[in-house]
Amino acid sequence: MRISGYGSWPTPVTSELVVTAAVRLGDVRPDGAPGTSDTGVIWAEGRADEGGRTQLVRRSDGDTRTDLLPEGANARSAVHEYGGGAWWLHEGSPGIVFYVDWSDQRIRRLDRAGGDPVVLTPEPVVPRGDRYADGDVAPDGSWMVAIREHHPVEDAAATDVVNEIVRLDARMPSQPEVLVSGPDFVAAPRISPDGGTLAWLSWNHPSMPWDDVELTVRDLDEGIDTVVAGGPGESVTEPQWQADGSLTFLSDRTGWWNLYRWMPGEDIEALVRIDAEIGVPAWSLAGSRYAVLEDGRVVFARSSHGFDALCVRELDGTIVELDTPFTLIGSVRADGPNAVVCVAGSPLAEPGVHRVVPAPASAGEPGAAGVQTLRAPRDLGLDPESISVPEPIQFLSGDAEGGPRTGFALYYPPTGPFLPPDGDLPPLLVVIHGGPTGSASPVLSVGVQYWTSRGFGVVDVDYGGSAGYGRAYREELKGAWGVVDVADCLAAARTLAEGGRVDPARMAIRGGSAGGFTTLAALARPDTPFSAGADHFGVADLEALAADTHKFESRYLDGLVGPYPEAADVYAARSPLTHVEDFSTPLIVLQGAEDAIVPPNQSEMIVDALRKRGVPVAYLLFDGEQHGFRRAENIRRALDAELAFYGEIFGFTLPPEEGIAPVEIENL
């Protein structure tokens, strides 16, 4: 079918489809009842149609599913603002779930047998002033440890917030006892199988958890601490005690996050050493990318060239990639003697919850695995032929000094049953992930298909500084934020345009958070190749952000830009707000009114500056939203408003059947 112009293609991938029955799957944990054949599993679902709240769902044998939390409860932690680790279980306490409620950040104990949740932590003087996360229960079930982030006053300065590990009663309300205090940050408190040793991670400003992290263990009887691994130039993550008393963990000491094992009194042993990443940046707490099975085999996720795969380390040390369709994998947990559960998706399917059973090496089928889907992804009703599948691309770019280097990206071509006029090329949307220490996600995203099914090409850029390519690539952004990332985004767009794959006159750039900063920095250049842009809660003024952000990221810019205020001139030079005189590209800005990570004043500053310069600009402020939009109605409006904006700038007509409201563009 021939139709006039890219961007105007009719599509089933509407903003309504994006949010209908949409869930954000979080952690998954086995919950089998000891002494029975019940192989239950619990997972977290962030539900857009319920205001974005996180519900816990239990699946028992026979696919019976039960929502565990009472009406209105929301299992979400605010520790580090990004949260994670908001709920946990204890194998010896069947039927018990521990969770942190978003409303007050206190820990609750929920008995699935009945009754209201019991609040275990005291009410703080300041509402939500004591935030908990990442708990672990002692073997006998009587006590637990957790992270506590203490805010002494409302809107406490980053320097006044205290992070520590506390011990508290796991059965009844108690006053927490401080076990570990002093480091700027602590994470992953884990109790040994005999209950006598505590392991944890710690780091200090200006490091982030992917920079310099120590793994420490403490004899709880003697009070003696031992640093096991980590320190300057080494990031350690995901410590796990094993049944034999050994401690496994991930370390990037070789330049890649690989798997190691420590037994008290012995040297550290490398279990998996490959040129690929098992670990991921710890933006949120309680991640799990590997699991040790009862027979000693290890199942782990690894990232290589932008794509995940599930692998197994056999007992003889052989590494075998399992035959699964998954390209994005998280929350890998041991489930029984020979299986794991995980949250995983592929280019043709959104993430779901799956149980994977790797065949034993003795079966003679290396890589064979049985996959049982426990929580299927949505049935979107899309023809697989209409789904745009990512293609990994490489391109030549430049470093901070102008020298040559290689960048990486995933390119999604426009895909649909329509043919454009002869000689017409598609518009391009350059997508920039957040972080900036993050990565593109090679998994079916309805938000990406929203664009490709209308005739857009989409390139998701893993610029220098992105995760998944080793520590050296991750550190290419050190001191170079606003330089290397911008160079890579421009290079990716120009490579596709010069290759005749996209229209060089209709290229747009969009990003959220750190990606919003890169968007603005790329547009604030006289040589920008982009003719439109979308800034989702991005940073416009680096100096203002350095002075007004939360504790977790309050010194992040030291490594990305330079120490402040010593490098104030660099902050000013890199800030898009400083270069508004070079800004002529139409821009739409979308912002959450309650964002504590990138406050609304960042968006308001750039919008006001562009208004005064007469640059076309649209601004949408969403009440009740924090950093990233969670409510269905706001997700829909943000997508449709951005599409309407591009329609005005690029001159294509929106499908009338969708009823998309226009967006007000000032100075157009």
Side-chain angles (χ1 to χ4, degrees):
M1 179 187 301
R2 192 168 292 282
I3 194 166
S4 60
Y6 290 102
S8 298
W9 295 355
T11 174
V13 188
T14 63
S15 63
E16 182 179 9
L17 180 66
V18 170
V19 301
T20 299
V23 298
R24 183 184 310 186
L25 291 175
D27 199 4
V28 57
R29 294 175 183 263
D31 184 47
T36 74
S37 60
D38 182 9
T39 54
V41 173
I42 298 176
W43 62 81
E45 290 187 0
R47 296 175 175 174
D49 59 359
E50 296 182 20
R53 80 172 180 123
T54 299
Q55 174 62 274
L56 302 182
V57 180
R58 186 178 193 275
R59 179 193 188 275
S60 59
D61 289 340
D63 200 23
T64 299
R65 301 186 192 182
T66 306
D67 286 356
L68 300 182
L69 303 187
E71 185 71 26
N74 185 0
R76 183 181 169 200
S77 172
V79 172
H80 297 173
E81 297 298 338
Y82 293 100
W87 63 281
W88 53 93
L89 309 173
H90 177 236
E91 185 176 336
S93 304
I96 303 298
V97 178
F98 302 92
Y99 72 96
V100 176
D101 195 272
W102 176 253
S103 63
D104 59 10
Q105 291 298 289
R106 298 164 71 188
I107 298 174
R108 286 160 170 75
R109 174 187 168 110
L110 174 67
D111 189 338
R112 291 195 282 107
D116 294 331
V118 176
V119 181
L120 297 180
T121 51
E123 184 175 356
V125 174
V126 176
R128 301 176 89 243
D130 285 338
R131 306 172 180 183
Y132 295 87
D134 208 2
D136 192 33
V137 184
D140 66 2
S142 65
W143 56 279
M144 72 170 75
V145 290
I147 295 170
R148 179 174 67 183
E149 185 176 273
H150 176 63
H151 295 244
V153 296
E154 290 191 52
D155 300 320
T159 52
D160 295 327
V161 175
V162 177
N163 293 70
E164 52 202 2
I165 296 172
V166 297
R167 173 164 51 189
L168 59 150
D169 198 301
R171 301 160 299 185
M172 63 187 69
S174 66
Q175 187 67 38
E177 169 197 2
V178 176
L179 291 182
V180 179
S181 188
D184 290 326
F185 300 98
V186 289
R190 301 291 180 260
I191 305 166
S192 64
D194 63 5
T197 309
L198 177 70
W200 72 90
L201 303 173
S202 64
W203 66 96
N204 292 299
H205 283 313
S207 295
M208 297 297 286
W210 43 86
D211 294 325
D212 315 301
V213 181
E214 285 189 345
L215 170 61
T216 304
V217 298
R218 174 180 297 172
D219 183 313
L220 293 174
D221 291 329
E222 302 293 334
I224 299 174
D225 291 353
T226 302
V227 176
V228 172
E234 181 180 359
S235 170
V236 179
T237 186
E238 294 191 31
Q240 295 182 20
W241 290 104
Q242 304 304 326
D244 63 357
S246 66
L247 184 65
T248 53
F249 59 91
L250 302 177
S251 166
D252 68 352
R253 57 181 57 192
T254 64
W256 302 90
W257 270 311
N258 283 183
L259 181 62
Y260 297 84
R261 173 184 178 272
W262 173 77
M263 176 69 82
E266 299 181 8
D267 292 336
I268 292 173
E269 172 191 5
L271 291 181
V272 177
R273 185 172 288 175
I274 54 177
D275 287 349
E277 298 276 46
I278 302 175
V280 295
W283 282 103
S284 58
L285 297 161
S288 180
R289 291 266 291 180
Y290 74 93
V292 180
L293 304 182
E294 287 185 10
D295 63 7
R297 291 184 297 161
V298 183
V299 179
F300 62 93
R302 68 99 182 102
S303 177
S304 179
H305 298 95
F307 290 81
D308 279 353
L310 201 61
C311 302
V312 61
R313 178 196 185 271
E314 300 290 356
L315 297 180
D316 63 1
T318 303
I319 307 298
V320 178
E321 183 175 320
L322 296 178
D323 183 15
T324 74
F326 307 134
T327 54
L328 186 70
I329 303 164
S331 193
V332 180
R333 309 274 184 184
D335 182 21
N338 62 352
V340 297
V341 289
C342 61
V343 175
S346 74
L348 296 177
E350 291 180 312
V353 178
H354 309 277
R355 177 180 286 121
V356 180
V357 183
S362 59
E365 299 178 54
V371 178
Q372 178 190 9
T373 297
L374 306 177
R375 200 281 182 201
R378 289 183 293 171
D379 181 2
L380 299 168
L382 300 178
D383 181 346
E385 295 297 320
S386 71
I387 295 174
S388 182
V389 174
E391 166 195 341
I393 64 172
Q394 298 183 21
F395 48 86
L396 185 65
S397 186
D399 61 19
E401 284 74 42
R405 46 175 298 280
T406 300
F408 303 90
L410 302 177
Y411 178 61
Y412 296 80
T415 305
F418 307 108
L419 297 173
D422 291 339
D424 196 13
L425 291 173
L428 176 68
L429 193 57
V430 176
V431 175
I432 314 164
H433 64 71
T437 309
S439 60
S441 297
V443 67
L444 176 62
S445 164
V446 189
V448 169
Q449 304 299 318
Y450 178 90
W451 302 104
T452 57
S453 65
R454 298 169 189 275
F456 279 78
V458 174
V459 63
D460 202 345
V461 183
D462 270 336
Y463 49 81
S466 298
Y469 302 86
R471 185 175 183 117
Y473 192 77
R474 203 166 68 238
E475 292 189 340
E476 287 185 358
L477 210 59
K478 288 285 188 181
W481 193 31
V483 179
V484 166
D485 51 324
V486 172
D488 283 4
C489 291
L490 269 59
R494 287 171 173 151
T495 297
L496 289 166
E498 291 167 2
R501 304 189 71 174
V502 300
D503 183 352
R506 292 185 296 170
M507 298 197 297
I509 184 170
R510 74 190 298 258
S513 190
F517 165 78
T518 303
T519 294
L520 296 176
L523 296 176
R525 292 172 54 121
D527 64 340
T528 186
F530 301 112
S531 49
D535 164 28
H536 295 241
F537 40 89
V539 179
D541 185 341
L542 291 174
E543 287 190 274
L545 184 69
D548 180 23
T549 192
H550 60 118
K551 179 183 178 182
F552 182 64
E553 291 185 272
S554 62
R555 299 286 301 280
Y556 189 18
L557 298 188
D558 283 31
L560 296 173
V561 182
Y564 188 83
E566 294 88 340
D569 57 334
V570 181
Y571 280 70
R574 299 270 182 86
S575 293
L577 198 63
T578 304
H579 302 283
V580 289
E581 71 277 2
D582 294 322
F583 212 125
S584 60
T585 303
L587 178 72
I588 183 171
V589 179
L590 306 106
Q591 174 71 47
E594 299 176 9
D595 194 335
I597 295 172
V598 179
N601 71 310
Q602 288 281 339
S603 291
E604 290 157 4
M605 285 189 288
I606 195 67
V607 169
D608 288 344
L610 296 182
R611 280 172 176 154
K612 292 174 183 176
R613 276 193 46 77
V615 176
V617 62
Y619 181 45
L620 281 74
L621 182 68
F622 294 94
D623 291 333
E625 292 287 6
Q626 292 92 40
H627 197 63
F629 305 150
R630 292 172 176 263
R631 298 182 179 182
E633 65 274 17
N634 294 336
I635 296 170
R636 289 196 64 186
R637 179 54 183 154
L639 267 175
D640 288 342
E642 189 175 343
L643 177 66
F645 176 80
Y646 296 142
E648 287 288 337
I649 303 304
F650 290 155
F652 60 79
T653 303
L654 304 183
E657 63 272 14
E658 293 187 50
I660 295 174
V663 62
E664 180 184 355
I665 306 175
E666 303 176 50
N667 300 325
L668 185 63

